[in-house]
Amino acid sequence: MSSPGTQLESKSTAEPKPKLQVLLVEHNPLDAALLLRALGSDGFDISSVLVQDEAGFTEALRANRAEIVLADYSLPNWKGMEALDVLRREGLDIPVIVVSGALGDVNAVECIKQGATNYVLKDGLARLPEVVRRALREKTERTWRRQAEEDLARKVDELARSNADLEQFAYVASHDLQEPLRMVTAYTQLLAERYHGKLDENADKFIAYASEGAQRMQVLIHDLLAFSRVGGKEACESIDCNTAMKEVLQALAAAIQESGAVVSHGDLPAVWADRTQVAQVLQNLIGNALKFRGKEPPLVAVQAEKTGELWQFSVSDNGIGIAPEYAESVFIVFQRLHGRSDYPGNGIGLAICKKIVEHNGGKIWVESKAGSGSTFKFTLPCHRRDEGKGAQS
């Protein structure tokens, strides 16, 4: 004989029935009762509304929070499948299960095509509870997926606005700083010219520090402006990289001659990008190879090979190299691995390269070891992105 305590424990551990609000589109009350009985006997706690036409269906939708619609395929005054049109018009995502006496394979397939979640024949109501459970799970998954997509889209928009605001701030701040900085530079240079040697040794030293700092700030602002301008509405087109390479070698001719460098390149391809930006990437990478050289004259090689829909470029040198732990940080703005007295610059060239390459749909990275030279690699699209998709389809 069970004790009162045992009975209480038995009640407390019983699982509550899942509540289900059903909207029935059915003209036969007996069939409606059979549907509800099939669900109730399988553990659902049901509340339902019975309708027979479009007006009643629309009114019930607005007055009740239906979780599922069970619709007869054909009613005297309405077609149950037209419930899908009403749901779309109302902007509601509610699973519709067609329940019919005789549907036929052709009509069943047509129901699914129009948007019905599933169908059940009235002589097979034993499978109705599982069909309903599956429909509810699919709706929950759709809701989660839609929410995740909306959250992602919102975060992308917020990030785009933040980046745009940051770039605009950098541009405005850099631009507005130039005028007062020109004044500082001009007057420190004037002080150095007029009073050099006329004051004590410390004064000459202080004026020199101020002048050097102002000039360095001018270069910094110029580099910051260049970085902030990347990512605008550049004129992308199919460009011949051999032509861009020729321009880069002409621009670097003095540095190549001064360092005794040998710069070689194979036949370079045409890519879809901004012409000026591609030249800037090549010039920055080759210029770095000339700057960060070892004791031997620089040897720089530029090559390209096709990988799928992209061209992969490589710029190799025999310079001082980069330790593997700095392979990512070298692309950060103002990141320097060496003192200014050893190598000039502000540490923004590789950051500009990264921004340009990624803006044009590619990636950039470096393969190197300290003291063993470096190979910078980057990818650029072979053609316009929508053309690539068209060619694949």
Side-chain angles (χ1 to χ4, degrees), residues 33-290:
L34 290 174
L35 297 179
L36 297 177
R37 180 181 177 185
L39 293 173
S41 64
D42 204 78
F44 285 102
D45 183 5
I46 302 169
S47 60
S48 63
V49 176
L50 181 65
V51 298
Q52 300 182 14
D53 54 30
E54 181 176 352
F57 183 74
T58 304
E59 182 181 353
L61 278 178
R62 296 173 179 175
N64 301 274
R65 299 182 62 183
E67 295 173 86
I68 199 147
V69 175
L70 303 180
D72 196 349
Y73 180 73
S74 181
L75 292 85
N77 301 318
W78 197 39
K79 289 184 178 180
M81 284 300 298
E82 294 179 4
L84 289 165
D85 297 329
V86 178
L87 288 171
R88 294 189 187 100
R89 192 164 59 242
E90 295 291 319
L92 297 173
D93 180 17
I94 301 176
V96 175
I97 298 173
V98 178
V99 183
S100 181
L103 191 58
D105 293 341
V106 174
N107 288 334
V109 171
E110 187 61 29
C111 288
I112 301 300
K113 285 183 178 179
Q114 292 183 33
T117 303
N118 211 327
Y119 70 94
V120 175
L121 297 178
K122 290 183 178 179
D123 60 0
L125 293 181
R127 61 185 290 265
L128 180 61
E130 180 53 35
V131 170
V132 168
R133 285 191 175 90
R134 186 185 306 121
L136 294 174
R137 285 196 302 269
E138 291 173 356
K139 180 189 174 183
T140 300
E141 291 170 0
R142 282 198 307 274
T143 301
W144 287 346
R145 184 167 58 250
R146 184 166 55 247
Q147 184 63 48
E149 290 171 352
E150 290 173 356
D151 290 344
L152 179 60
R154 186 171 60 253
K155 289 177 181 177
V156 168
D157 289 341
E158 291 173 357
L159 182 60
R161 284 195 301 270
S162 175
N163 286 340
D165 291 344
L166 184 60
E167 289 179 4
Q168 181 65 16
F169 171 77
Y171 178 81
V172 172
S174 302
H175 185 273
D176 290 350
L177 280 172
Q178 288 189 94
E179 184 57 33
L181 189 58
R182 273 194 292 268
M183 296 288 289
V184 172
T185 303
Y187 279 103
T188 52
Q189 289 175 347
L190 188 60
L191 279 171
E193 291 172 4
R194 287 191 178 183
Y195 297 101
H196 180 71
K198 296 180 180 180
L199 303 175
D200 61 22
E201 183 180 345
N202 284 336
D204 289 342
K205 189 184 300 182
F206 297 156
I207 292 173
Y209 288 158
S211 180
E212 181 188 350
Q215 290 173 2
R216 195 160 63 239
M217 181 63 75
Q218 279 187 319
V219 175
L220 193 65
I221 289 174
H222 179 272
D223 289 345
L224 187 58
L225 277 170
F227 182 77
S228 68
R229 289 190 181 110
V230 177
K233 296 181 179 179
E234 289 80 12
C236 290
E237 57 184 343
S238 181
I239 62 166
D240 183 1
C241 291
N242 291 299
T243 303
M245 188 67 186
K246 184 178 179 181
E247 295 173 357
V248 168
L249 293 178
Q250 288 175 348
L252 295 173
I256 292 173
Q257 184 177 4
E258 182 270 331
S259 62
V262 175
V263 180
S264 62
H265 66 90
D267 186 35
L268 300 179
V271 297
W272 186 265
D274 178 76
R275 178 172 170 274
T276 303
Q277 290 187 347
V278 170
Q280 186 174 6
V281 170
L282 290 171
Q283 184 167 329
N284 284 1
L285 294 178
I286 297 172
N288 276 357
L290 302 180

